[in-house]
Amino acid sequence: MKRKTKVIIGLASAAVIIAGGLFGAGMYFYNVAVVPAPKSFLSKTQPIKPGNSRYPAHKWYQDAHKQHWFEMSATRHLKLDANYISADKATKKTIIIAHGFMSNKNRMFDYAYLFHNLGYNVLLPDARGHGQSQGNYIGYGWPDRLDYVKWVKKVIHQNGQKSEIAIFGTSMGGATTMMVSGVKGLPTQVKAFIEDCGYTDVYSEIAYQAKELYHLPKFPLVDIVSGINHVKNGYSFKKASALKQVAKNKRPMLFIHGAKDQFVPTKMVYPLYRADRGPKQLLIVPGAGHSRSFSTHPKLYSDTVKKFLNHYLN
């Protein structure tokens, strides 16, 4: 009897130790994946100097007159920050730009310059926990999708009911764009979406990164991190699905992905494209890595975007 009791105690102790270790590992990777902070796996931004192909866009953005817009988040009562740049010629057409993971509005100057040159007003928000917006977690587009609906309504309030709006995003911003597309009651002034290298769902992307960066299986670690995130931030990684959202979308969507993307693998775009129920177009950019489609083939990119927008806005 005593021996049996010792075995039970030993097994229970081992289970507690294992559970504690898994929870500790989960908290560590929660901080890596969800807490806004410098990430060692992200490349550092380099200064933009004269002679750099991006310099004209950067110089324009630095000099452009920016209106400072604020909005409160749809949940958590966070103060969100954005820059608004009017088109040179008065227009009701506006592009709302969603940035990527651990990026911010000011790093989206290339795209702001592209849309400005096409004649659009441009709104560049900082997502929760990024840039000058409040928040202590990365939403991966899921809570942010409701924030972007509020930005849409703010554009309509500022520019009028005849506004025509397209939402554009890259990487996490691409996923955010797709997540917005499935929101019920999205104002009819939103005419189109352009997503560039977004993921199918947060669980699949984090599982992919766990394997690529740390050689870890998705179970049980990603599930533990997802559970911690659900408790802390109100959503699970599987719930945060761009794939399920585009299946509800009936408005035009342009899907763009680099053929050599190894951060959000290119294969993710195909089920997204198939699931979408609205008018749609797919551009796979030859030779382009993650978020490098525009810089790799700028003419192909800008021509495709211009034609798509011209078809669906006004």
Side-chain angles (χ1 to χ4, degrees):
M1 187 62 132
K2 288 183 179 180
R3 185 176 179 181
K4 185 177 180 180
T5 301
K6 286 181 179 180
V7 170
I8 293 171
I9 292 172
L11 290 172
S13 299
V16 169
I17 292 169
I18 292 169
L22 287 172
F23 180 76
M27 285 302 301
Y28 172 81
F29 283 106
Y30 171 84
N31 285 309
V32 171
V34 183
V35 175
K39 308 296 180 183
S40 60
F41 53 86
L42 297 178
S43 58
K44 294 181 179 179
T45 56
Q46 300 298 323
I48 309 298
K49 298 179 180 179
N52 187 306
S53 61
R54 302 176 71 198
Y55 182 77
H58 186 261
K59 180 70 166 58
W60 166 81
Y61 185 77
Q62 293 296 108
D63 295 341
H65 175 69
K66 307 174 191 69
Q67 295 178 30
H68 217 179
W69 285 17
F70 299 99
E71 186 57 84
M72 299 308 297
S73 62
T75 59
R76 301 292 178 96
H77 201 68
L78 303 170
K79 187 177 181 180
L80 306 177
D81 186 280
N83 284 338
Y84 177 83
I85 303 173
S86 297
D88 287 336
K89 184 178 179 181
T91 181
K92 295 292 186 181
K93 298 187 292 185
T94 302
I95 308 295
I96 302 177
I97 296 177
H99 63 73
F101 179 85
M102 289 313 302
S103 186
N104 60 64
K105 60 182 181 293
N106 294 327
R107 290 171 63 180
M108 299 298 282
F109 61 86
D110 304 85
Y111 302 102
Y113 188 55
L114 166 64
F115 294 119
H116 179 80
N117 286 338
L118 293 177
Y120 295 90
N121 306 312
V122 180
L123 178 66
L124 302 104
D126 279 330
R128 300 179 184 206
H130 293 75
Q132 294 174 284
S133 288
Q134 294 179 340
N136 60 2
Y137 67 100
I138 299 167
Y140 285 95
W142 189 246
D144 313 274
R145 79 196 191 283
L146 303 178
D147 299 339
Y148 274 82
V149 174
K150 295 194 74 173
W151 286 120
V152 165
K153 292 178 179 178
K154 192 172 188 72
V155 170
I156 296 168
H157 176 75
Q158 295 289 335
N159 294 350
Q161 291 296 318
K162 293 184 178 180
S163 293
E164 294 185 79
I165 299 167
I167 301 175
F168 165 89
T170 62
S171 193
M172 184 183 81
T176 304
T177 298
M178 291 185 282
M179 290 172 182
V180 173
S181 77
V183 173
K184 186 177 181 180
L186 184 66
T188 57
Q189 286 87 348
V190 177
K191 304 299 182 183
F193 304 93
I194 302 173
E195 79 83 20
D196 183 342
C197 61
Y199 38 79
T200 50
D201 60 87
V202 178
Y203 184 91
S204 297
E205 176 59 16
I206 291 181
Y208 173 80
Q209 292 301 333
K211 181 179 179 181
E212 290 295 305
L213 296 175
Y214 303 102
H215 309 291
L216 293 170
K218 61 184 176 183
F219 184 83
L221 192 59
V222 177
D223 297 84
I224 292 170
V225 177
S226 177
I228 294 169
N229 187 69
H230 188 266
V231 171
K232 284 180 169 285
N233 304 318
Y235 73 95
S236 69
F237 292 160
K238 287 184 179 178
K239 183 179 181 181
S241 173
L243 187 63
K244 290 180 181 178
Q245 289 297 97
V246 295
K248 304 173 190 175
N249 174 51
K250 295 183 180 180
R251 306 183 208 199
M253 177 89 71
L254 170 59
F255 296 83
I256 302 173
H257 221 103
K260 299 294 184 181
D261 195 334
Q262 296 181 345
F263 195 80
V264 176
T266 309
K267 66 181 181 181
M268 281 194 175
V269 75
Y270 299 109
L272 289 164
Y273 178 75
R274 288 194 297 268
D276 188 87
R277 297 176 63 194
K280 53 191 174 182
Q281 183 178 346
L282 174 62
L283 173 64
I284 303 297
V285 179
H290 186 64
S291 291
R292 294 290 181 268
S293 291
F294 185 28
S295 59
T296 303
H297 287 287
K299 189 175 188 306
L300 172 64
Y301 195 102
S302 57
D303 286 350
T304 304
V305 165
K306 179 181 179 180
K307 186 176 180 180
F308 176 81
L309 290 174
N310 284 348
H311 189 68
Y312 293 110
L313 271 72
N314 198 22

